[in-house]
Amino acid sequence: MSVTAPERKRVRHPVPPAKWPTREEAARSRWFSPITLGTRLVAAERTWVPAMVPWRATDDGFVTQDVLDWYARFAEGQPGVLVVEATGIRDIPSGPLLRIGDDRFVPGLSRLVETVREASRGRTRIFIQIIDFLTVRRRPEPEKYFMRYLEVTDPLRVQLALWLDDKRWREAPEDEVRGFLREADRVTLETVLTDRELEALDYGYRERVWDLHLPWIRELPRVLPGLFAEAARRAQTAGFDGVELHYAHAYTMASFLSRLNTRTDGYGGTLPHRVRLPLAVLAAVRARVGPDYPVGIRYLGDEVVEGGSRVDDAVWFGIKFAEGGVDYLSVSKGGRFEDAKQPKIGEAVYPYTGESGYECMPTVLSDARGPFGRNVPLAAAIRRALRGAGHATPVVTSGGITTFEQAEGILERGEADCVAAARQSLADPDWFRKVRLGLGHLVRRCEFTNYCEGLDQRHKQVTCKLWDRKLDPTEPTVRLASDGKRRLLPPSWTAPSAD
Ligand SMILES: Cc1cc2nc3c(=O)[nH]c(=O)nc-3n(C[C@H](O)[C@H](O)[C@H](O)COP(=O)(O)O)c2cc1C
Ligand code: SF4
């Protein structure tokens, strides 16, 4: 049984102490040993920066100088693999998120690849995560919701007639229904509106993959394989070492895999039906990029929402993905909309605010288990099943990794093949390199209190609070975020000796 949020938040865990390896110990370690992804791509080490959205693209999705600087800074730390943020496969406006839905985005993405190659001195393999997502609207002003957005339907009129015990509501003009609802009390609203209409009022309108009454949702299985395949082809043209299909968290493909997916057209319900589109996308991508181009999948080991998929489902999907020819599986957890907190009026619901969100990016305010390496058992279960079925597919784990010993222990016990760190790499993008050079004592340790996630939630340029500890805003070389208060990039670091 899952622990309730208030109970969980009672324990504050210290960041675990670290015993850093010497340069020689690091050189002999598993974490700093090479791995092959796909048929021939070799990553020099099993260190990994998973996708993180920094909110630095242009409003129409192009790579900016800030995007280049952000990834260059991560590349200087020379991780084995660096995965570029979730990048939209459609050619539709989506705010300052990177996009790959048209060939016009390719030149900028090529520059990004070159920048990472140069900054890592050819040591880091660069992947790009490609994503589809459905419409999520901001929570409306109630006045606007009733007077403009709510669809006044005959069933709604019937509900009103029943509740008010007055048949005339069955024929009531639209304006009258709207005006009545605008003034109605909560009990009335909860009685006459459907769950989805109430949700649209309280949280903002949000589409589901099982909204088969919407033609564009019905068409997803026809449309998405081609969109993902074209996006992957562009990634290949731009020079990325591989592509990662985003099947995790709150987005379209994760929702197809979800136990909550009740589509009745052969793409929902049973396990084989839920995995059907994700496999079709994988096959379409593979057909477009060829047998040797690395294609990974990031997906959920556990959705952590009531009625959602659990590790058993994830194990089953993992084997299907391996049979479908995926080159690695990166296992995440939670981050769903279903249990997200109610947003303020004018803001959009954020999938990392509920219990499932906590599990995706756990903080030091935790239950007895604490946030560190908390998701490893999911990756371990998937890897065990893969090996049992004869698949050598590499498995990547992430979530609360902050020391060399943690990572090395995970690899030693065969719980994963690569160990990723998002927030620790954000706190100190040089950390992998520092550890490899025997300079672990210089690592700036993440505090796991999620200041960065709060910025992501508000769609503000993501930075780490630790970067500003020595900030002098008047120093001319320091570039500041658009609010003028924070460093846009981590402080620079120069290794004392060549490597
Ligand atoms: C600011 C921020 C943005 C993120 N963006 C993405 C994303 O684009 N795609 C993704 O799969 N995960 C994303 N994540 C989740 C991380 O990749 C990672 O799974 C999570 O932070 C847990 O790992 P950690 O404990 O090492 O931070 C993001 C995390 C943060 C903090
Ligand atoms: S802001 Fe906090 S949680 Fe985020 S990377 Fe920095 S120290 Fe870690």
Side-chain angles (χ1 to χ4, degrees), residues 406-420:
Q406 267 180 307
E408 196 59 12
I410 289 166
L411 298 176
E412 204 174 308
R413 290 186 296 274
E415 292 167 333
D417 300 278
C418 295
V419 180

Side-chain angles (χ1 to χ4, degrees), residues 50-53 86 129 246 249 298 360-361 398-400 421-423 456 462:
M52 262 185 287
V53 169
Q129 188 181 59
H246 197 346
H249 308 151
R298 192 161 211 225
C360 189
M361 300 180 214
S398 58
R423 287 167 296 171
D456 177 49
V462 171

Side-chain angles (χ1 to χ4, degrees), residues 423 426-427 445-452 463-466:
R423 287 167 296 171
L426 180 61
R445 305 284 306 279
C446 173
E447 294 180 0
F448 293 94
T449 47
N450 279 6
Y451 166 86
C452 50
T463 61
C464 167
K465 67 175 188 182
L466 303 179

Side-chain angles (χ1 to χ4, degrees), residues 223-408:
V223 172
L224 285 177
L227 286 174
F228 270 99
E230 274 299 284
R233 196 255 312 152
R234 287 182 199 108
Q236 193 176 27
T237 307
F240 284 93
D241 291 305
V243 72
E244 179 174 285
L245 311 179
H246 197 346
Y247 288 5
H249 308 151
Y251 311 108
T252 310
M253 298 307 289
S255 299
F256 270 92
L257 291 172
S258 174
R259 268 192 214 174
L260 298 171
N261 171 10
T262 53
R263 280 182 79 116
T264 49
D265 60 348
Y267 290 94
T270 62
L271 283 166
H273 285 179
R274 277 148 53 203
V275 82
R276 193 168 154 203
L277 180 60
L279 285 178
V281 165
L282 176 60
V285 166
R286 176 61 72 208
R288 196 68 50 98
V289 297
D292 294 321
Y293 190 65
V295 179
I297 288 178
R298 192 161 211 225
Y299 80 119
L300 295 175
D302 188 337
E303 281 187 78
V304 205
V305 290
E306 214 182 310
S309 297
R310 296 291 175 185
V311 66
D312 298 352
D313 307 62
V315 162
W316 195 87
F317 294 143
I319 290 174
K320 291 289 161 202
F321 294 148
E323 287 168 3
V326 76
D327 291 316
Y328 71 82
L329 292 172
S330 173
V331 181
S332 187
K333 187 179 184 189
R336 299 284 305 165
F337 279 123
E338 283 79 6
D339 63 348
K341 280 199 189 127
Q342 185 179 33
K344 291 189 192 133
I345 289 175
E347 290 183 8
V349 65
Y350 181 67
Y352 306 99
T353 44
E355 186 68 11
S356 77
Y358 169 82
E359 295 290 345
C360 189
M361 300 180 214
T363 71
V364 285
L365 290 176
S366 186
D367 58 18
R369 260 173 73 205
F372 302 106
R374 195 177 167 92
N375 303 346
V376 174
L378 301 172
I382 292 167
R383 188 175 184 274
R384 216 170 23 247
L386 286 170
R387 299 297 176 269
H391 298 289
T393 320
V395 174
V396 186
T397 190
S398 58
I401 307 294
T402 173
T403 71
F404 169 80
E405 285 158 292
Q406 267 180 307
E408 196 59 12

Side-chain angles (χ1 to χ4, degrees), residues 15-65:
V15 172
K19 192 176 153 296
W20 301 110
T22 62
R23 190 175 179 146
E24 293 69 36
E25 284 165 344
R28 284 196 302 272
S29 72
R30 291 173 173 81
W31 207 24
F32 290 97
S33 70
I35 184 165
T36 304
L37 300 166
T39 55
R40 56 186 182 208
L41 180 76
V42 179
E45 47 192 77
R46 291 152 190 261
T47 58
W48 192 289
V49 180
M52 262 185 287
V53 169
W55 298 101
R56 278 157 168 75
T58 64
D59 275 338
D60 39 13
F62 285 97
V63 169
T64 58
Q65 188 59 44

Side-chain angles (χ1 to χ4, degrees), residues 76-326:
E76 283 170 25
Q78 301 180 317
V81 172
L82 171 57
V83 185
V84 168
E85 69 204 72
T87 300
I89 60 169
R90 293 184 192 247
D91 200 7
I92 49 161
S94 36
L97 288 171
L98 284 183
R99 283 160 56 187
I100 193 168
D102 184 85
D103 287 352
R104 71 181 184 282
F105 295 108
V106 172
L109 293 168
S110 298
R111 270 201 306 285
L112 174 52
V113 171
E114 284 157 23
T115 302
V116 166
R117 293 245 160 81
E118 204 173 301
S120 73
R121 287 183 273 143
R123 202 177 152 91
T124 293
R125 301 298 178 211
I126 177 167
F127 281 65
I128 185 164
Q129 188 181 59
I130 56 176
I131 185 173
D132 185 57
F133 43 86
L134 301 181
T135 300
V136 179
R137 299 233 166 83
R138 292 160 201 270
R139 181 179 162 198
E141 297 276 359
E143 162 89 19
K144 273 199 191 142
Y145 178 71
F146 290 118
M147 300 317 282
R148 209 189 294 169
Y149 305 139
L150 177 71
E151 198 187 337
V152 176
T153 59
D154 285 344
L156 174 57
R157 288 188 174 90
V158 169
Q159 287 305 315
L160 272 175
L162 285 171
W163 175 243
L164 300 171
D165 200 14
D166 183 346
K167 276 196 210 134
R168 278 176 309 161
W169 283 102
R170 287 172 184 265
E171 313 294 331
E174 189 173 314
D175 285 355
E176 206 175 319
V177 174
R178 292 188 185 284
F180 174 80
L181 290 173
R182 183 184 54 190
E183 306 302 328
D185 59 27
R186 185 72 194 176
V187 177
T188 300
L189 295 179
E190 287 181 10
T191 310
V192 302
L193 297 181
T194 64
D195 287 351
R196 290 292 290 276
E197 287 163 347
L198 260 186
E199 180 193 89
L201 168 66
D202 293 339
Y203 289 78
Y205 170 79
R206 176 166 66 81
E207 288 173 353
R208 312 288 205 275
V209 303
W210 47 92
D211 283 343
L212 291 180
H213 59 284
L214 304 172
W216 58 95
I217 299 282
R218 245 188 347 259
E219 286 305 306
L220 288 173
R222 251 72 62 200
V223 172
L224 285 177
L227 286 174
F228 270 99
E230 274 299 284
R233 196 255 312 152
R234 287 182 199 108
Q236 193 176 27
T237 307
F240 284 93
D241 291 305
V243 72
E244 179 174 285
L245 311 179
H246 197 346
Y247 288 5
H249 308 151
Y251 311 108
T252 310
M253 298 307 289
S255 299
F256 270 92
L257 291 172
S258 174
R259 268 192 214 174
L260 298 171
N261 171 10
T262 53
R263 280 182 79 116
T264 49
D265 60 348
Y267 290 94
T270 62
L271 283 166
H273 285 179
R274 277 148 53 203
V275 82
R276 193 168 154 203
L277 180 60
L279 285 178
V281 165
L282 176 60
V285 166
R286 176 61 72 208
R288 196 68 50 98
V289 297
D292 294 321
Y293 190 65
V295 179
I297 288 178
R298 192 161 211 225
Y299 80 119
L300 295 175
D302 188 337
E303 281 187 78
V304 205
V305 290
E306 214 182 310
S309 297
R310 296 291 175 185
V311 66
D312 298 352
D313 307 62
V315 162
W316 195 87
F317 294 143
I319 290 174
K320 291 289 161 202
F321 294 148
E323 287 168 3
V326 76

